[in-house]
Each structure stands twice: as C-alpha cells, then as structure tokens.
C-alpha cells in the first residue's frame, strides 16, 4: 500500500507518515521503482502507534515500545484496552455529573456541592508539568506570571492572536518548512511567544518537538489544518538551527 493510500485509510496526513519514517518510528519498504510501500505488518504497527498516541504517549516512548525485542502486540492491545476502559469510566462519571446537574437545574432532584464536582480532577496540569520538565520552573513561572497579570480583555486578545497565527501557518502548511515564506511565518510565532514568555531557540525547537510527540498538542494544533503540527515542528527546528 502506497503512502497516500495508507494516509487516506487511517485518516492522517502524508506528512505525518513521512515524519514517522524520518524518526525511525515506522519505516515502510521501498519498491524497485522508488515508492514507499506499507505491508500488512506495517499497518499493524501503525495501528499500535495511533493507539498509544491516543492514550497520550510521546512518540519517543512509542518508538521504544514498538521496537523493543520483547514487544508483544496482543499484550499491548490488552494494556491499551484496560487504559481506555479506565478513561471511559472517568468520562462516564463526568457524564453522570452533567445528567444530575441538568435534573437539579430543572428542580427534579437535590444535589450537594460535592456532587456538582464529581468526576473532575485538576490535581495536576499535564501541559505545565511537561513544560517544567523540559525547560525548568523559571521559564514556566515567568510565562504564567505575565499571563496572570493580563486583564480579561488582554487574555482574550492573546487568544485571538494565537488563533490568527495558527490560521496563517495552516494556510501555508503545504510549503517547504525551510522556504522563505514558512520561515517568515514561524518567526512571527517565535516573536509572539517571547512577548508572553522567555523562549530560547533551543526551547522553541523543543516546543516544536512536543507538538508532534504529544497527542494533546497535535490534536489541538491540527484542528486548524491536518498536518499543521508536523509542519510547525519542521519549520521551528529549521528556524532555531539557522538563528543560533
């Protein structure tokens, strides 16, 4: 199966498959005519990759798992099923809380304050923890402090600017990441991030890596255009390397 056919079958971009190939996560065979071809075994591995991504595993960890000599596909499927059942249980709890809240709003049942918040868990922010592990507490604290000092209107303007930049990047995601147009657009992103935080070129490059390693980031960014996260990762890496 050719790259484009595999991408269409799975519902991901060709650029994403190329990225998996580049990092050694999923390397298809090359035919005599020079085309990449995915075998049935490759598709099974791709299924595993996407299951792990959906469960929040970074690509680096997925590569370690699926390339391990001790990797057992059936065992992995059992583990993934258990994790998804746990996630479904958490979602079911939240749905139950919503249903109770609707009934309570209609005056049909009483509801305690404790019951109103069953199913929520804000004990940690996974995004912030990831950032602290990569770039240290100081950089994250500085960024949080700047955002917390903003008024509601300023925070709304920031969100609108994020949205504008993402849309402009999505519009050129078919360009080469090292093209002048792509590099000019990604510079706008780098400059804006440094208005609300303090990002070195290495940190900027690491942020781009997180866009493709972490399913949460990939999903949010790709809402603006399929394959945008991979395009931004490529462009951010080029920008960082060129400007060191």
């Amino acid at each position: 199966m050719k790259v484009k056919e595999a991408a269409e079958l799975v519902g991901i971009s060709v650029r994403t498959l190329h990225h998996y190939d580049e990092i050694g996560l999923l390397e298809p065979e090359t035919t005599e005519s020079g085309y990449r071809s995915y075998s049935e075994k490759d598709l099974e591995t791709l299924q595993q990759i996407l299951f792990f991504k959906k469960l929040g595993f970074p690509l680096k960890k997925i590569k370690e798992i699926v390339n391990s000599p001790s990797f057992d596909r059936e065992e992995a499927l059992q583990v993934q099923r258990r994790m998804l059942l746990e996630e479904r249980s958490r979602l079911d709890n939240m749905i139950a809380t919503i249903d109770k809240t609707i009934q309570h709003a209609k005056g049909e049942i009483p509801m305690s304050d404790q019951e109103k918040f069953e199913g929520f868990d804000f004990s940690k922010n996974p995004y912030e923890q990831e950032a602290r592990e990569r770039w240290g507490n100081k950089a994250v604290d500085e960024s949080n402090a700047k955002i917390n000092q903003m008024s509601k209107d300023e925070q709304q303007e920031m969100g609108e600017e994020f949205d504008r930049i993402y849309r402009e990047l999505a519009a050129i995601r078919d360009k080469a990441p090292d093209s002048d147009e792509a590099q000019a657009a990604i510079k706008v992103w780098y400059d804006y991030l440094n208005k609300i935080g303090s990002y070195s070129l290495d940190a900027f490059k690491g942020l781009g890596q997180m866009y493709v390693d972490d399913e949460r980031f990939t999903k949010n960014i790709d809402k603006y255009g399929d394959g945008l996260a991979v395009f931004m990762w490529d462009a951010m890496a080029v920008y960082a390397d060129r400007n060191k």
Side-chain angles (χ1 to χ4, degrees), residues 1-235:
M1 183 178 293
K2 293 180 180 178
V3 176
K4 185 177 180 181
E5 294 172 335
E8 291 175 349
L9 172 68
V10 178
I12 59 178
S13 68
V14 170
R15 185 185 290 273
T16 296
L17 288 176
H18 284 165
H19 175 58
Y20 291 171
D21 186 6
E22 289 168 2
I23 65 175
L25 177 59
L26 180 64
E27 300 174 283
E29 298 176 357
T30 303
T31 65
E32 293 181 0
S33 55
Y35 290 104
R36 291 183 177 89
S37 177
Y38 289 89
S39 65
E40 187 66 28
K41 187 174 182 355
D42 290 330
L43 293 178
E44 290 178 356
T45 301
L46 179 57
Q47 184 197 52
Q48 280 297 306
I49 292 168
L50 296 180
F51 275 142
F52 279 121
K53 274 202 75 180
K54 186 59 67 177
L55 289 165
F57 284 69
L59 294 181
K60 183 178 179 180
K61 184 63 177 176
I62 297 173
K63 182 179 176 181
E64 291 176 5
I65 294 172
V66 299
N67 288 339
S68 171
S70 61
F71 176 72
D72 184 291
R73 180 168 176 258
E74 184 176 344
E75 181 182 1
L77 288 168
Q78 292 293 343
V79 171
Q80 291 158 351
R81 183 177 186 277
R82 185 173 68 251
M83 294 178 72
L84 287 169
L85 287 172
E86 291 172 357
E87 178 63 18
R88 185 172 72 180
S89 177
R90 286 190 290 270
L91 291 173
D92 285 344
N93 287 336
M94 292 196 71
I95 292 171
T97 298
I98 290 173
D99 289 341
K100 287 182 181 179
T101 303
I102 292 172
Q103 288 180 287
H104 175 68
K106 291 179 178 179
E108 297 175 356
I109 61 169
M111 192 176 192
S112 68
D113 288 340
Q114 183 177 353
E115 287 176 319
K116 291 176 183 177
F117 299 97
E118 288 180 351
F120 290 100
D121 182 8
F122 299 117
S123 58
K124 64 178 181 178
N125 182 335
Y127 290 92
E128 181 169 324
Q129 181 61 32
E130 178 87 13
R132 290 185 184 278
E133 290 174 358
R134 287 178 180 253
W135 304 309
N137 292 327
K138 183 179 178 181
V140 178
D141 288 339
E142 286 179 355
S143 179
N144 285 343
K146 286 183 181 180
I147 293 173
N148 290 335
Q149 288 171 1
M150 293 179 180
S151 66
K152 288 185 177 179
D153 286 342
E154 288 173 330
Q155 290 183 16
Q156 182 177 345
E157 288 176 4
M158 180 183 73
E160 291 172 353
E161 185 66 9
F162 270 42
D163 185 74
R164 183 188 67 78
I165 294 172
Y166 278 135
R167 290 187 185 282
E168 289 182 355
L169 286 164
I172 61 167
R173 68 187 188 279
D174 60 331
K175 304 288 185 182
D178 60 352
S179 67
D180 291 343
E181 190 174 359
Q183 286 301 293
I186 212 67
K187 182 181 184 300
V188 173
W189 181 230
Y190 177 72
D191 290 344
Y192 189 74
L193 286 176
N194 275 287
K195 287 182 180 179
I196 60 171
S198 179
Y199 287 84
S200 66
L201 289 168
D202 285 338
F204 186 60
K205 185 175 182 179
L207 181 65
Q209 185 69 52
M210 192 190 298
Y211 290 170
V212 294
D213 282 352
D214 193 314
E215 170 70 14
R216 298 163 299 179
F217 284 93
T218 305
K219 185 177 180 180
N220 285 333
I221 293 171
D222 280 357
K223 287 178 182 177
Y224 292 88
D226 189 30
L228 177 59
V230 173
F231 169 76
M232 289 184 68
W233 167 75
D234 280 337

